[in-house]
């Protein structure tokens, strides 16, 4: 199991990401993506889902039309790990609508 990122290690890992913020009250990060339409949003979710399954690391997310709100945390570790940072970076790389 990956280890929880803490302190400077956590700060440094998050410095490489943009648009992600800490969730209040728990050790997790969140980002709201907005796409051109539902089709683009769902295409993003499909790509992210395939990667999540490959990594055996799954997002908490909510989709409303062209909006996808993602929260990442490693439940098994009780907080943020490298897996969350890796999945966040992948999501950013496939999000065309930002
Ligand atoms: C059994 C399975 O490997 C685990 O439950 C995996 C599945 N996906 C997961 N996803 C996330 N986000 N955190 C986990 O701890 C986690 N654990």
């Amino acid at each position: 199991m990956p280890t929880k990122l803490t302190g400077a290690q956590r700060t440094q890992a998050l410095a490489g990401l943009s648009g992600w913020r800490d969730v209040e009250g728990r050790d997790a990060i969140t980002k709201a993506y907005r796409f051109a339409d539902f089709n683009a949003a769902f295409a993003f979710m499909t790509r992210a889902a395939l990667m999540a399954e490959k990594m055996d690391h799954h997002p908490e997310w909510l989709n409303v039309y062209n909006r996808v709100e993602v929260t990442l945390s490693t439940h098994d570790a009780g907080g943020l790990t490298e897996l969350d940072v890796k999945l966040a970076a992948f999501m950013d790389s496939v999000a065309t609508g930002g």
Side-chain angles (χ1 to χ4, degrees), residues 7-97:
Q9 202 183 20
R10 188 183 190 283
T11 308
Q12 211 172 346
L14 293 180
L17 299 174
S18 95
W20 292 86
R21 62 175 176 80
D22 280 311
V23 175
E24 260 181 67
R26 61 180 290 211
D27 190 9
I29 52 172
T30 189
K31 182 170 181 173
Y33 292 97
R34 196 174 284 272
F35 298 90
D37 51 25
F38 176 76
N39 195 48
F42 203 76
F44 162 77
M45 293 178 81
T46 303
R47 293 190 182 100
L50 292 173
M51 176 54 82
E53 191 58 11
K54 196 162 143 182
M55 290 173 64
D56 190 28
H57 192 68
H58 304 89
E60 300 168 34
W61 54 12
L62 170 74
N63 164 236
V64 179
Y65 179 51
N66 65 339
R67 198 159 45 81
V68 182
E69 292 174 13
V70 182
T71 297
L72 298 177
S73 184
T74 304
H75 310 128
D76 295 342
L80 209 72
T81 69
E82 281 296 339
L83 290 176
D84 300 302
V85 177
K86 192 178 165 190
L87 188 54
F90 178 80
M91 285 179 165
D92 284 348
S93 78
V94 296
T96 50

